[in-house]
């Protein structure tokens, strides 16, 4: 029999690990392969001083049938994820700009095999709340103007009028297209 036609169910437990440079502990999940569809659901994992729970489905049917990219769908809920720690790993310059604890929901659909391809092709919705946080508009504006090769004096002037603001309780919703 071919792998695409097989079925496998596994209880997965990992004490610690790393995914795309993000460390995690206490991964508990059910891993299932059923006729070219890989499911990691439900799962829970501790990371960045918080917790993620949810599901991920990788559908390889079209890959096996027509060599198309696999489709990916994911649904996560985050509880107390430290944004500063995440930024330090993913985009260090953002750690000075945005911090706090992230609680929310992420629902995404995409195509691809590799994490970077999956992120680049993602579409979906993100909703949540940042608590005990901050947003440094001065740093943000200075970075924006530097990225655009604009005058730093203008950035500093505008940003000084805005300043750093705590976002002790900030709700947000976004679409990913």
């Amino acid at each position: 029999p071919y792998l695409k036609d097989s079925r496998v169910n596994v209880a997965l437990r990992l004490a610690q690990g790393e995914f795309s440079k993000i460390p995690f502990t206490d991964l508990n999940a059910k891993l299932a392969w059923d006729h070219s569809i890989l499911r990691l659901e439900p799962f829970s994992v501790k990371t960045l001083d918080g917790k993620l729970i949810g599901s991920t489905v990788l559908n390889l049917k079209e890959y096996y049938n027509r060599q198309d990219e696999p489709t990916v769908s994911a649904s996560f809920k985050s509880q107390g994820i430290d944004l500063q720690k995440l930024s330090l790993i993913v985009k260090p310059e953002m750690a000075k700009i945005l911090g706090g604890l992230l609680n929310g929901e992420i629902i995404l659909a995409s195509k691809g095999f590799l994490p970077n391809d999956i992120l680049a092709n993602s579409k979906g919705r993100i909703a949540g709340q940042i608590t005990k946080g901050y947003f440094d508009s001065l740093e943000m504006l200075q970075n924006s103007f530097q990225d655009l090769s604009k005058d730093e004096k203008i950035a500093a002037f505008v940003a000084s009028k805005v300043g750093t603001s705590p976002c002790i309780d900030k709700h947000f919703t976004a679409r990913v297209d």
Side-chain angles (χ1 to χ4, degrees), residues 13-33:
R13 288 191 170 82
L14 292 174
Q16 64 182 18
E18 188 177 283
F19 179 76
S20 293
K21 299 182 184 175
I22 299 173
F24 65 83
T25 60
D26 301 325
L27 171 67
N28 289 296
K30 290 184 181 176
L31 183 66
W33 174 266

Side-chain angles (χ1 to χ4, degrees), residues 25-161:
T25 60
D26 301 325
L27 171 67
N28 289 296
K30 290 184 181 176
L31 183 66
W33 174 266
D34 187 2
H35 294 93
S36 305
I37 298 175
L38 179 65
R39 296 178 186 280
L40 185 65
E41 62 181 1
F43 77 84
S44 67
V45 63
K46 293 179 183 175
T47 185
L48 305 170
D49 296 336
K51 188 174 186 178
L52 286 175
I53 54 174
S55 66
T56 302
V57 178
L58 177 66
N59 186 334
L60 292 156
K61 284 186 177 188
E62 294 306 314
Y63 173 75
Y64 284 121
N65 292 336
R66 298 188 305 218
Q67 299 297 304
D68 284 349
E69 288 183 297
T71 58
V72 180
S73 62
S75 175
F76 305 99
K77 288 189 181 198
S78 66
Q79 300 170 344
I81 300 295
D82 188 320
L83 288 174
Q84 186 179 33
K85 287 183 178 182
L86 177 61
S87 294
L88 286 170
I89 295 167
V90 177
K91 196 166 185 179
E93 61 273 16
M94 287 297 292
K96 290 193 268 181
I97 296 170
L98 179 66
L101 302 178
L102 176 64
N103 298 293
E105 183 176 46
I106 301 168
I107 299 171
L108 297 173
S110 189
K111 287 188 170 195
F113 273 111
L114 303 174
N116 287 343
D117 295 335
I118 292 168
L119 287 174
N121 295 316
S122 291
K123 295 184 185 309
R125 181 177 67 87
I126 301 171
Q129 175 183 21
I130 299 172
T131 59
K132 300 178 185 171
Y134 61 87
F135 177 74
D136 189 339
S137 51
L138 171 61
E139 189 73 31
M140 181 69 171
L141 284 171
Q142 285 177 333
N143 284 350
S144 297
F145 278 101
Q146 285 173 0
D147 289 346
L148 297 172
S149 301
K150 301 289 182 182
D151 187 350
E152 283 187 51
K153 290 179 183 177
I154 295 171
F157 172 76
V158 173
S160 69
K161 300 298 179 191

